[in-house]
């Protein structure tokens, strides 16, 4: 099948590789001439905001998917490509707007942090008597990797953030003192069959994912049941096909749903080495109507993002057996340039390896 992918970053690259391995032809559309997916796909350089180009790109495709959710829905509709889109356009609409996303979670009985939608500056006055300070202000649209958000401790700081953050409206969320962050990645087939990867424990630095450990240690059956039930409710509601990630905050035995990504997710990169079938392969399987692959874990696995620079050889040598992925991107501060995964026979030795690696680059894991 001809599988179109909108966006050619590392997610588009891993999707292209998986599509090829399954006997499909991956075609990528990206505005970046140095896109990571270029070498692994039939590549078209061009804007994702050009309906005519998009229409031409989609002409002979069997299916069209995407590696990120901040695509223009009106452009997709104008180009007439929404019938080809999998996951379908409804998932994209909900996933790209924190207002719609949180409302959807609430309507499905999925708990979230208390929040307010701020449409005008005077709405900031309501924070003190509702969710309270400190809180976190986020743009409802276009935010990712900690961009477009700020923690504020007072009305004055909130007013400054209102000026600095765009586009409006904003969402104000209560600051959650979570025990840890988790994610639940699942895949749903065209017939509604579900498969779940285990809960993953994630650590963020400056809003950017630093490390993931899978399966997350210390999970209780109750946490697993909640996470799976939330993701299933959401996917059934959206009649979703493909891989979806839910980002969660654990507070004691409760899970608060932070956000959804209607696509493959950075906290699922560990599946390349750690699961029988990776998230990328399962996404392609689902969207092309193939049977789902096994989400079973092979060994406890950790993934670390390489942000701003790739680790030096000496650092890599201290983690024997690590799989190193370099996305071939130009180095820039705060940019994800690659990732490492390593496995271990048990959770304790995995933690030891992860701590050693984090220490060697001066970070906390
Ligand atoms: P997001 O873009 O919503 O995924 O936020 C990026 C990161 O900021 C999260 O992974 C958390 O580490 C932190 N964060 C976001 N929202 C909250 C919140 N309401 N309370 C505490 N930390 C948060």
């Amino acid at each position: 099948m001809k599988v179109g992918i909108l966006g050619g970053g590392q997610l588009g690259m891993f999707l292209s590789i998986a599509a090829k391995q399954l006997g499909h032809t991956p075609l990528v559309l990206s505005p970046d001439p140095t896109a990571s997916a270029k070498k692994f796909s039939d590549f078209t350089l061009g804007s994702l905001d050009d309906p005519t180009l998009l229409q031409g790109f989609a002409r002979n495709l069997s299916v069209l998917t995407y590696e990120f959710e901040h695509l223009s829905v009106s452009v997709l509709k104008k180009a007439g490509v929404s019938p080809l889109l999998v996951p379908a356009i409804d998932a994209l609409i909900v996933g790209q707007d924190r207002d719609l996303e949180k409302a959807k979670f609430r309507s499905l009985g999925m708990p979230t942090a208390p929040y307010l939608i701020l449409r005008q500056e005077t709405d900031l006055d309501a924070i003190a008597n509702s969710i309270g300070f400190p809180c976190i202000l986020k743009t409802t649209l276009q935010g990712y990797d900690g961009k477009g958000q700020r923690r504020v401790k007072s009305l004055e700081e909130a007013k400054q953030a209102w000026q600095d953050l765009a586009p409006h409206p904003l969402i104000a969320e209560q600051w959650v003192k979570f025990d840890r962050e988790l994610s639940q990645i699942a895949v749903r087939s065209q017939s509604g069959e579900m498969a779940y990867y285990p809960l993953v424990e994630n650590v963020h630095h400056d809003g950017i994912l630093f490390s993931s450990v899978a399966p997350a240690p210390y999970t209780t059956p109750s946490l697993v049941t909640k996470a799976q039930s939330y993701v299933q409710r959401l996917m059934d509601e959206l009649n979703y096909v493909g891989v979806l990630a839910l980002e969660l905050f654990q507070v004691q035995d409760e899970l608060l749903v932070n956000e959804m990504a209607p696509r493959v997710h950075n906290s699922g990169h560990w599946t390349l080495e750690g699961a029988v079938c990776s998230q990328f392969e399962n996404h392609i399987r689902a969207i092309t109507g193939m049977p789902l692959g096994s989400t079973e874990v092979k060994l406890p696995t950790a993934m670390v993002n390489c942000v701003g620079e790739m680790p030096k050889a000496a650092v890599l040598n201290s983690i024997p057996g690590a799989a190193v992925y370099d996305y071939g991107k130009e180095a820039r501060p705060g940019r994800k340039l690659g990732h490492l995964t390593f496995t271990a026979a048990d959770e304790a030795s995995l933690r030891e390896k992860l701590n050693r690696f984090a220490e060697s680059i001066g970070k906390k894991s």
Side-chain angles (χ1 to χ4, degrees):
M1 280 188 173
K2 290 191 171 177
V3 177
I5 302 168
L6 300 176
Q10 60 271 24
L11 301 180
M13 175 182 79
F14 289 123
L15 286 171
S16 298
I17 294 169
K20 223 175 228 175
Q21 280 169 348
L22 290 169
H24 301 302
T25 306
L27 293 92
V28 166
L29 175 63
S30 161
D32 178 1
T34 64
S36 307
K38 194 171 177 177
K39 278 195 240 152
F40 303 93
S41 61
D42 184 340
F43 186 79
T44 302
L45 179 67
S47 166
L48 297 167
D49 288 323
D50 178 343
T52 315
L53 184 77
L54 208 51
Q55 198 173 35
F57 174 74
R59 193 155 293 138
N60 295 313
L61 297 178
S62 314
V63 62
L64 179 61
T65 194
Y66 44 90
E67 66 151 16
F68 76 124
E69 57 275 28
H70 298 300
L71 294 163
S72 162
V73 170
S74 62
V75 169
L76 293 168
K77 286 190 173 163
K78 211 166 169 188
V81 300
S82 37
L84 270 181
L85 265 193
V86 187
I89 199 134
D90 286 353
L92 194 71
I93 292 170
V94 174
Q96 65 181 211
D97 183 334
R98 292 186 195 270
D99 181 2
L100 299 180
E101 183 181 73
K102 287 274 200 297
K104 181 63 79 186
F105 296 160
R106 288 280 175 103
S107 75
L108 295 171
M110 299 161 62
T112 69
Y115 69 94
L116 285 176
I117 301 296
L118 309 167
R119 300 190 192 281
Q120 53 213 4
E121 195 173 347
T122 49
D123 291 345
L124 295 168
D125 297 335
I127 294 176
N129 291 324
S130 53
I131 61 170
F133 292 104
C135 67
I136 182 162
L137 299 191
K138 304 177 181 175
T139 56
T140 54
L141 303 173
Q142 300 292 339
Y144 69 99
D145 279 352
K147 293 191 178 72
Q149 54 182 261
R150 184 159 327 151
R151 184 178 189 267
V152 293
K153 297 194 290 296
S154 63
L155 183 58
E156 289 65 43
E157 286 186 6
K159 284 188 171 162
Q160 187 57 53
W162 177 269
Q163 299 303 330
D164 297 345
L165 294 177
H168 298 144
L170 303 182
I171 183 170
E173 291 173 21
Q174 194 169 77
W175 184 256
V176 179
K177 291 200 194 92
F178 50 75
D179 299 321
R180 60 175 172 170
E181 293 188 75
L182 298 168
S183 55
Q184 174 66 63
I185 298 180
V187 57
R188 189 173 181 275
S189 73
Q190 288 175 2
S191 62
E193 182 198 345
M194 296 281 306
Y196 305 92
Y197 289 98
L199 277 168
V200 179
E201 181 182 282
N202 300 314
V203 172
H204 291 82
H205 293 158
D206 304 322
I208 303 178
L209 182 66
F210 171 66
S211 62
S212 297
V213 170
Y218 313 115
T219 49
T220 57
S222 139
L223 280 183
V224 171
T225 305
K226 278 180 190 150
Q228 294 189 356
S229 138
Y230 296 159
V231 80
Q232 179 172 14
R233 266 179 239 178
L234 183 63
M235 290 172 103
D236 284 348
E237 161 80 8
L238 294 168
N239 199 13
Y240 192 94
V241 175
V243 164
L244 179 142
L246 268 193
E247 295 186 28
L248 306 158
F249 299 140
Q250 182 182 350
V251 184
Q252 295 171 356
D253 198 33
E254 291 308 319
L255 290 177
L256 299 179
V257 184
N258 177 34
E259 63 176 354
M260 64 177 261
R263 54 171 167 79
V264 286
H265 194 252
N266 194 175
S267 70
H269 286 9
W270 66 273
T271 59
L272 284 165
E273 279 71 35
V276 172
C277 180
S278 78
Q279 62 163 350
F280 305 102
E281 180 177 333
N282 253 332
H283 185 74
I284 300 291
R285 283 177 166 273
I287 67 169
T288 57
M290 296 172 78
L292 299 182
S294 166
T295 51
E296 202 181 310
V297 177
K298 294 199 274 193
L299 277 173
T301 307
M303 188 275 332
V304 187
N305 273 330
C306 307
V307 180
E309 60 177 350
M310 288 301 291
K312 308 270 178 302
V315 171
L316 292 179
N317 291 342
S318 71
I319 315 281
V324 185
Y325 293 89
D326 183 333
Y327 307 150
K329 292 178 175 178
E330 197 185 312
R332 255 190 264 131
R335 194 172 198 205
K336 290 176 187 166
L337 302 179
H339 76 264
L340 311 180
T341 48
F342 32 92
T343 55
D346 56 62
E347 152 40 38
S349 20
L350 185 70
R351 180 63 58 183
E352 193 266 320
K353 272 190 183 179
L354 179 57
N355 290 345
R356 188 150 34 95
F357 174 77
E359 254 171 50
S360 70
I361 58 164
K363 301 265 182 174
K364 270 196 188 154
S365 59

